[in-house]
Amino acid sequence: MVTRHTVAQALVRFLAAQYTERDGVRHRLIAATWGIFGHGNVAGLGQALVEHRDRMPFHQGRNEQAMVHAAVGYARQSDRLSAHAVTTSIGPGATNLVTGAALATINHLPVLLLPGDTFATRPADPVLQQLQLPTAGEVSVNDCLRPVSRYFDRVDRPEALIPAVLAAVRVLADPAETGAVTLALPQDVQAEAYDWPEEFFAERIWRVRRPRPDTAELDAAVRAVREAERPLVVAGGGVRYSGAEDALRTFAERAGLPVATTQAGKGALPYDHPCEVGGIGHTGSATADDLARSSDLVIGVGTRYTDFTTASGTLFGPGTRFLNLNITGFDAHKQAALPLVADAREGLTALTEALGGPRPPAPAGPYPWTAAKDDWQRRIDAAYAAPDPSARPTQAQVLGVLDTLADTTDILINAAGSLPGDLHKLWRTRSRDQYHVEYGYSCMGYEIPAALGVLLAAPGRPVWALVGDGTYLMNPTEIVTAVQERLPLRLIVLQNHGYASIGGLSQAVGAERYGTDYRFRDPDGGFTGPPLPVDLGANAASLGMRVLRPRTVRDLREALAQAREATVPTCVYVETETADTVSGAPPAQAWWDVPVAATSTRPSAVGAREEYDRHVTARRRHL
């Protein structure tokens, strides 16, 4: 039997029938579609979403990049078992997807991109928004999405949809391959009718595999752990996506191992677990970084070893060996490691069993790292403390007040600026999914739309988007979507009148904070005077948010408590110390490589280069 549908109608109906299954639990693979309509998708997918609106929920976006961020937020909160699709018009609507696609692919998070494309039949050439290359007639702007997509295809004929979309959903559901998946859809093909086999629309289950480790690799891993005198576990995002937190806890407790966490892995153990030693790397804790420097074996679980984690290759000692448990061979072999290619939960369980022996009793005394961890907690307390409740809060004090209000149900979202460093060092994570910091791409403008995706995936939970003024100005548009969909977004805007993180970095590398403050421009090219008269709270109110304006630490406590109980989108607009002052958090505990000008006439750059040369000599490759 066949059913006559347009290509777009067939695509929507197919997507609505796709499911993932892991550990016997089914999840709808494409739970909803985000869209902004224009020529290129309004008559195709736009019409199809109306035709099948009983099958496919729809969310109206305001910015194409933001729609991808919202879809990524949903996928992360769903542990990659469920995702959203995003449809756009051709031209700028499609190219606006590139940043979001890169973020999804770098973070291994599934999102299906459905940009409109120019006519496959070329009835007029060029059409509006068409890219014309004299040497390549088949290229469109959508080809920009190829390098940032895990799978890319252009559906130039109706019958080509079947193999293309089957390949697309296979990649979306594969934990080792997932990321942004793009199906470019020429606008004439979207609207073309075709007789589809009825079995194309049958429910289809994509089982999410949990590969177990190879026996030889497992034996080598066990030997490495047994021979190590000072092992350290580095837990990354793969722990979360595998649901491996309990397996990690058991492994760490039985082997008596400290567990440090990357940005994506924070929350793998709660902050008060005896084996948890805090964040690692440039934004990490002194406890974890000191353990890393003296470790002889680093057991990486689901981590990519970015430069922030390794302190640009300067953190781990020259004699350190690596054992990497990862679902991808590419990441498992990093740092010249012993690879253990497997699902994180299955690999940790196999390691624990292979190490053998009954679970030992609790240690008679504290772990060797307990005193250092307690000292770091005291430093957090000092950063959070507000001796004068009538004063303007620092950024760290804002986090401290929120810390007193949050419980295991709260979710914090952040991505860029000085906040990721402060959060990684300071935040006391209470549950496996409380900490949501996107640091694979560290994309300004991610937080607000991602929070909408999280709210859709976790209704009823308090979801906080934490942004600085720079990030807010990048992408506030989805506030309107939050209002439209009655999503109780809790937005904290920290107004310090500039780029605090990059301002500090600029000063450190000899660029003298040039162009990092929001101040009036002088005729000679400088930026001086008072901060610009910018009111982002008024902007948020104009987009439909309820806005609270605490001016002191005392006011802040009341405002955050009100926002936490809010049932409508609510913004807490906080004037903190200016961007050229410290946030209040402890400084970096490890280096990060940002090259400094090799020659300069300015003393600040000359001094910065001398400091750079001192640090760079500590870089090493582990071979």
Side-chain angles (χ1 to χ4, degrees), residues 32-113:
T33 296
W34 291 82
I36 297 176
F37 296 119
H39 90 95
N41 71 337
V42 66
L45 275 168
Q47 190 282 328
L49 288 164
V50 174
E51 186 93 6
H52 295 299
R53 60 184 175 181
D54 58 328
R55 302 174 187 265
M56 180 63 69
F58 176 76
H59 302 295
Q60 182 180 353
R62 268 72 194 177
N63 173 282
E64 291 86 0
Q65 180 188 138
M67 292 195 297
V68 186
H69 293 335
V72 167
Y74 178 89
R76 173 166 170 163
Q77 187 61 33
S78 303
D79 290 340
R80 304 194 299 199
L81 298 170
S82 187
H84 282 169
V86 176
T87 179
T88 71
S89 62
I90 68 174
T95 53
N96 279 350
L97 296 173
V98 173
T99 296
L103 181 148
T105 293
I106 287 170
N107 287 284
H108 301 298
L109 290 165
V111 59
L112 177 60
L113 307 180

Side-chain angles (χ1 to χ4, degrees), residues 225 231 233 248-258 275 299 351-352 355-356 358-360 367 369:
V225 175
V233 177
L248 175 64
R249 180 185 295 107
T250 300
F251 175 64
E253 289 174 352
R254 290 193 178 183
L257 301 179
C275 292
I299 307 168
L351 260 178
T352 303
L355 286 168
R359 178 174 175 174
Y367 285 113
W369 56 82

Side-chain angles (χ1 to χ4, degrees), residues 289-328:
D289 286 352
D290 286 346
L291 287 167
R293 293 183 181 98
S294 62
S295 63
D296 60 349
L297 178 68
V298 173
I299 307 168
V301 184
T303 179
R304 298 187 301 122
Y305 288 107
T306 68
D307 61 340
F308 262 61
T309 298
T310 67
S312 299
T314 64
L315 183 58
F316 305 108
T320 303
R321 299 175 63 204
F322 292 82
L323 165 62
N324 292 343
L325 167 56
N326 205 290
I327 200 167
T328 71

Side-chain angles (χ1 to χ4, degrees), residues 170-455:
R170 179 195 64 79
V171 173
L172 288 170
D174 187 334
E177 293 292 328
T178 197
V181 168
T182 300
L183 292 180
L185 302 170
Q187 58 178 313
D188 51 345
V189 176
Q190 287 182 49
E192 189 172 342
Y194 186 75
D195 291 329
W196 304 92
E198 191 61 33
E199 57 264 32
F200 181 54
F201 305 115
E203 285 191 0
R204 192 181 303 265
I205 297 174
W206 301 82
R207 288 184 171 82
V208 179
R209 63 177 62 91
R210 285 192 180 277
R212 296 179 179 179
D214 173 80
T215 301
E217 289 187 353
L218 180 61
D219 290 344
V222 170
R223 286 195 299 271
V225 175
R226 285 176 174 163
E227 292 170 0
E229 296 180 358
R230 299 176 305 281
L232 170 69
V233 177
V234 174
V239 174
R240 171 176 177 170
Y241 300 134
S242 173
E245 291 86 359
D246 288 345
L248 175 64
R249 180 185 295 107
T250 300
F251 175 64
E253 289 174 352
R254 290 193 178 183
L257 301 179
V259 177
T261 56
T262 68
Q263 287 279 13
K266 193 172 171 78
L269 294 178
Y271 82 95
D272 54 356
H273 188 281
C275 292
E276 204 273 350
V277 295
I280 192 168
H282 179 64
T283 56
S285 70
T287 313
D289 286 352
D290 286 346
L291 287 167
R293 293 183 181 98
S294 62
S295 63
D296 60 349
L297 178 68
V298 173
I299 307 168
V301 184
T303 179
R304 298 187 301 122
Y305 288 107
T306 68
D307 61 340
F308 262 61
T309 298
T310 67
S312 299
T314 64
L315 183 58
F316 305 108
T320 303
R321 299 175 63 204
F322 292 82
L323 165 62
N324 292 343
L325 167 56
N326 205 290
I327 200 167
T328 71
F330 176 77
D331 289 315
H333 283 83
K334 288 180 177 176
Q335 306 291 99
L338 284 172
L340 189 61
V341 180
D343 168 80
R345 192 190 74 179
E346 295 300 308
L348 286 167
T349 300
L351 260 178
T352 303
E353 293 174 351
L355 286 168
R359 178 174 175 174
Y367 285 113
W369 56 82
T370 299
K373 178 177 176 178
D374 291 343
D375 180 67
W376 187 256
Q377 290 299 316
R378 286 190 288 271
R379 295 181 70 178
I380 294 175
D381 289 338
Y384 281 172
D388 182 2
S390 63
R392 174 185 290 183
T394 65
Q395 181 167 285
Q397 288 167 351
V398 173
L399 299 181
V401 174
L402 187 58
D403 178 79
T404 65
L405 298 171
D407 62 27
T408 56
T409 64
D410 291 76
I411 302 172
L412 275 65
I413 301 173
N414 183 244
S418 57
L419 273 165
D422 287 2
L423 286 164
H424 199 204
K425 285 182 279 193
L426 301 178
W427 187 257
R428 291 162 169 156
T429 309
R430 296 161 172 82
S431 63
R432 65 178 297 272
D433 63 351
Q434 181 177 80
Y435 188 86
H436 183 137
V437 172
E438 186 286 300
Y439 218 56
Y441 210 40
S442 187
C443 183
M444 296 178 72
Y446 171 82
E447 295 90 342
I448 294 173
L452 304 193
V454 173
L455 283 162

